Amino acid sequence: MADKRPIRTDIPHSARIWNYWLGGRDYYEADRMAGEAGVAGYPEIKAMAIQSRQFLIRAVQYLAADAGIRQFLDIGTGLPTMQNTHEVAQAAAPDSRIVYVDNDPLVLAHARALLVNTTDEGVTTYLEADFHQPDVILADARNVLNFSKPIAVLFIGVLGHARSYGEVRRVVDAMMDGVPSGSYLALNDGATDDRAYVRMCENYAKTGGVPYNPRSSAEITGIFEGLELVEPGVVPINHWRTDEAAHGIRGTSAWGGVGRKP
């Protein structure tokens, strides 16, 4: 069914701003202005956007190549950019099945055109749903994924849009309750350890876009409660399975990790 909701070009949208920070072309003037304002207030944000994508790539490579995962549920996928989940997963395991989830009409339009299967053996598809509705996501994903086998659930930089930490926990707990033992959770989100970054998020909320609420590193770690953390645990995303910490490179103001459901 075609999405009939209008695309609001006069209000900035986080997926399009993220695309702007990543050097993409899928944004409008309101997004560019909000993106430039973000850079002015927090110059490191472009690097954080790239680091978030690199974290996704490393996490999916680990899951497909090392953990043997063949099913991925990428929730709040955003606009397609470089090395999307299906490209990384299917490069490591050609039979990987990927379901993208988003509720933004521009994202869905691009998904139809660009999120195309890269192998004959695999499956790449998308569904329209809001991450606040885990029951809907789980029900629709059953049409594509085999829920008797492990599934990797991905939330990459999206849970900050939840209004409260309690809502974050409700959504993630419902998703992980719905997938079988041996499944994985991979997520990252902005953290409150840098006041300039927090101020940038506060200013973004004044633009009319959906507010983004960074959490403390302890809260982000708490999302993995009950899961078996993959080394090195929940850390700044540029320190996750890299040698940057050993080289003394400062951690970014986004934390993330990967955990396995026992």
Side-chain angles (χ1 to χ4, degrees):
M1 181 181 295
D3 194 302
K4 293 181 170 58
R5 289 176 298 144
I7 295 173
R8 291 293 301 269
T9 63
D10 57 326
I11 297 175
H13 189 283
S14 60
R16 302 192 304 251
I17 296 170
W18 208 249
N19 183 267
Y20 172 75
W21 285 333
L22 285 170
R25 296 179 294 178
D26 299 312
Y27 56 85
Y28 298 102
E29 181 63 12
D31 309 307
R32 185 194 67 77
M33 293 176 63
E36 282 299 308
V39 170
Y42 188 67
E44 296 91 340
I45 189 60
K46 281 191 173 182
M48 185 192 292
I50 294 170
Q51 289 161 349
S52 181
R53 175 59 52 160
Q54 292 170 338
F55 169 84
L56 167 68
I57 292 167
R58 293 194 304 275
V60 173
Q61 285 174 334
Y62 166 80
L63 291 165
D66 298 339
I69 296 297
R70 298 294 180 266
Q71 303 187 105
F72 295 81
L73 190 51
D74 188 343
I75 302 172
T77 180
L79 288 160
T81 55
M82 58 178 184
Q83 290 185 273
N84 299 289
T85 298
H86 72 289
E87 295 167 321
V88 177
Q90 291 171 353
D95 58 336
S96 295
R97 303 171 73 88
I98 292 85
V99 176
Y100 289 106
V101 182
D102 212 294
N103 71 331
D104 178 73
L106 184 65
V107 170
L108 295 169
H110 281 74
R112 295 183 185 103
L114 298 178
L115 299 181
V116 179
N117 209 47
T118 60
T119 64
D120 292 335
E121 306 97 312
V123 173
T124 304
T125 188
Y126 60 89
L127 61 91
E128 180 182 0
D130 189 307
F131 76 75
H132 292 91
Q133 302 172 304
D135 292 344
V136 173
I137 294 171
L138 289 165
D140 287 353
R142 288 182 181 278
N143 295 321
V144 179
L145 304 180
N146 181 351
F147 274 66
S148 69
K149 296 182 178 180
I151 297 168
V153 178
L154 281 59
F155 289 99
I156 305 299
V158 299
L159 291 172
H161 289 298
R163 290 174 292 276
S164 69
Y165 183 62
E167 179 69 358
V168 171
R169 295 297 300 269
R170 180 192 72 81
V171 168
V172 174
D173 289 351
M175 288 302 307
M176 297 312 294
D177 285 346
V179 294
S181 175
S183 294
Y184 284 82
L185 170 68
L187 71 80
N188 72 47
D189 259 307
T192 56
D193 53 356
D194 189 319
R195 180 58 197 166
Y197 172 66
V198 174
R199 190 179 305 114
M200 186 203 76
C201 294
E202 292 171 347
N203 289 335
Y204 173 68
K206 300 173 184 177
T207 67
V210 178
Y212 185 88
N213 306 292
R215 318 287 178 190
S216 70
S217 56
E219 287 175 321
I220 296 171
T221 301
I223 300 172
F224 289 88
E225 184 179 0
L227 304 179
E228 300 167 348
L229 284 170
V230 173
E231 288 295 330
V234 182
V235 295
I237 54 176
N238 61 316
H239 290 175
W240 194 84
R241 302 181 79 84
T242 71
D243 58 4
E244 291 196 5
H247 289 166
I249 298 174
R250 184 171 69 91
T252 187
S253 293
W255 285 57
V258 174
R260 180 183 182 274
K261 179 177 179 177

